[in-house]
Amino acid sequence: MKYNTIFRFVLRKLIILLAIAALFSCKEKKLTVSGSLPANSSQDENIPKKLKNLSPETKAYLDGKNIVVVLGYGYNDEEHITKITQSLNDNFGVETEEKSGLISVFVYPADFMVAGKERISSLADRIEDKTLAGMIILGSPEGLHIALSKIQDKSEDGKIPYPVFTLFSQDDVLGSESTSDFVLDYAHKTNTIENEVTDFIPDFDASLILTNAISKIMELREPLKADANLITFVQSLLEKNRTVIHYVDGETGLQSINHFIFE
């Protein structure tokens, strides 16, 4: 009788221990799958280049978050998509249906089709289930500022709580400026969409500016301030042989505080 009691006691303890082990195993697996950063690995080559030496604070901040990259006009052809996506995956990790990743890439118009029609306004719906650390739009199509304003409206203070960088926009000028931390264009830009060409900039690599911008976003934690330091920040995203200046409206002659051009 004594041995049966001991056996039942040991068996009960064993069952409890197994249940606890299974519970922690499930939690660990869930965090690995849902997080945007790759789990620690003994094989360093499995970790994207720019994520290998993150500080503990940055890792904690980015855990479970995404940085969205929207590829629009001039950068939505197969060649650009392949080159840019490969670069982003090597440096930061790109999210797919099969794996998590810091970067979530959307291509216009392919990823914005609603009932067979292009709807850039669906951007807010596309990111509704994501927690973002930032957004970069490359070749912004017409109406994107309206989609961003919808995201603003959903925020308690009417402001997007993360950095938004707009590069080579073909959207409304004032709309882009009001919904972005900054807008950056190639020199000699006009206010008319019809005259814009963003797919050819001499000796320019879009992957480089994206890599620099994402690296900055990982450290920012919040939107940029539209002050005198903003132009220095934007200049740091480009190669040293490029010069950034403030954009001046051709009709009013007014200089924008958060809109820049470079040569």
Side-chain angles (χ1 to χ4, degrees):
M1 185 69 177
K2 181 179 179 181
Y3 290 111
N4 288 338
T5 301
I6 294 173
F7 177 76
R8 285 196 298 271
F9 176 80
V10 172
L11 181 61
R12 189 158 50 244
K13 288 290 185 181
L14 181 60
I15 292 173
I16 292 172
L17 289 173
L18 289 173
I20 292 173
L23 177 62
F24 277 98
S25 176
C26 289
K27 286 185 177 180
E28 183 178 2
K29 182 178 180 182
K30 183 178 180 181
L31 288 174
T32 301
V33 172
S34 62
S36 59
L37 297 182
N40 290 332
S41 171
S42 58
Q43 296 182 341
D44 194 52
E45 64 270 16
N46 292 335
I47 302 176
K49 297 175 184 177
K50 298 295 184 179
L51 303 185
K52 289 181 179 180
N53 299 310
L54 295 181
S55 67
E57 294 78 12
T58 300
K59 285 183 180 180
Y61 171 71
L62 293 175
D63 187 40
K65 293 185 176 70
N66 291 111
I67 296 174
V68 164
V69 173
V70 179
L71 301 181
Y73 294 134
Y75 300 93
N76 56 358
D77 59 279
E78 185 175 347
E79 181 179 352
H80 276 103
I81 294 170
T82 300
K83 181 180 179 181
I84 290 172
T85 302
Q86 184 62 57
S87 174
L88 294 178
N89 192 53
D90 290 344
N91 284 296
F92 306 100
V94 171
E95 181 182 64
T96 67
E97 294 182 357
E98 291 75 29
K99 69 178 182 70
S100 59
L102 177 62
I103 309 302
S104 183
V105 177
F106 293 96
V107 178
Y108 178 84
D111 292 327
F112 297 92
M113 302 300 292
V114 178
K117 295 184 178 180
E118 303 169 7
R119 302 291 188 192
I120 191 61
S121 59
S122 66
L123 175 62
D125 298 328
R126 295 287 186 267
I127 66 172
E128 187 174 12
D129 296 331
K130 298 180 181 295
T131 301
L132 298 192
M135 182 185 298
I136 303 173
I137 303 107
L138 191 61
S140 178
E142 310 97 304
L144 184 59
H145 72 282
I146 298 175
L148 291 174
S149 67
K150 290 182 179 179
I151 298 172
Q152 286 179 330
D153 293 341
K154 290 184 178 181
S155 177
E156 292 182 1
D157 60 0
K159 299 179 181 179
I160 298 177
Y162 47 80
V164 177
F165 303 164
T166 296
L167 313 175
F168 318 127
S169 175
Q170 296 191 35
D171 195 7
D172 175 75
V173 173
L174 294 178
S176 295
E177 293 173 354
S178 67
T179 54
S180 307
D181 289 34
F182 70 82
V183 180
L184 178 64
D185 288 305
Y186 186 52
H188 310 304
K189 182 178 176 65
T190 68
N191 285 333
T192 57
I193 293 173
E194 290 77 13
N195 293 332
E196 301 308 328
V197 178
T198 61
D199 58 348
F200 178 71
I201 301 175
D203 302 317
F204 178 77
D205 183 1
S207 297
L208 176 61
I209 192 173
L210 283 175
T211 298
N212 292 341
I214 293 168
S215 296
K216 296 284 189 180
I217 285 176
M218 291 194 301
E219 302 294 336
L220 282 176
R221 310 282 199 280
E222 61 184 2
L224 290 166
K225 295 180 180 179
D227 57 22
N229 296 319
L230 187 55
I231 190 170
T232 303
F233 177 90
V234 176
Q235 179 70 66
S236 71
L237 304 180
L238 294 165
E239 295 177 281
K240 293 182 179 179
N241 64 329
R242 302 288 189 176
T243 302
V244 174
I245 61 175
H246 284 275
Y247 168 80
V248 177
D249 185 272
E251 294 182 1
T252 65
L254 296 176
Q255 176 178 284
S256 173
I257 192 170
N258 74 329
H259 191 166
F260 308 93
I261 59 176
F262 71 91
E263 298 179 350

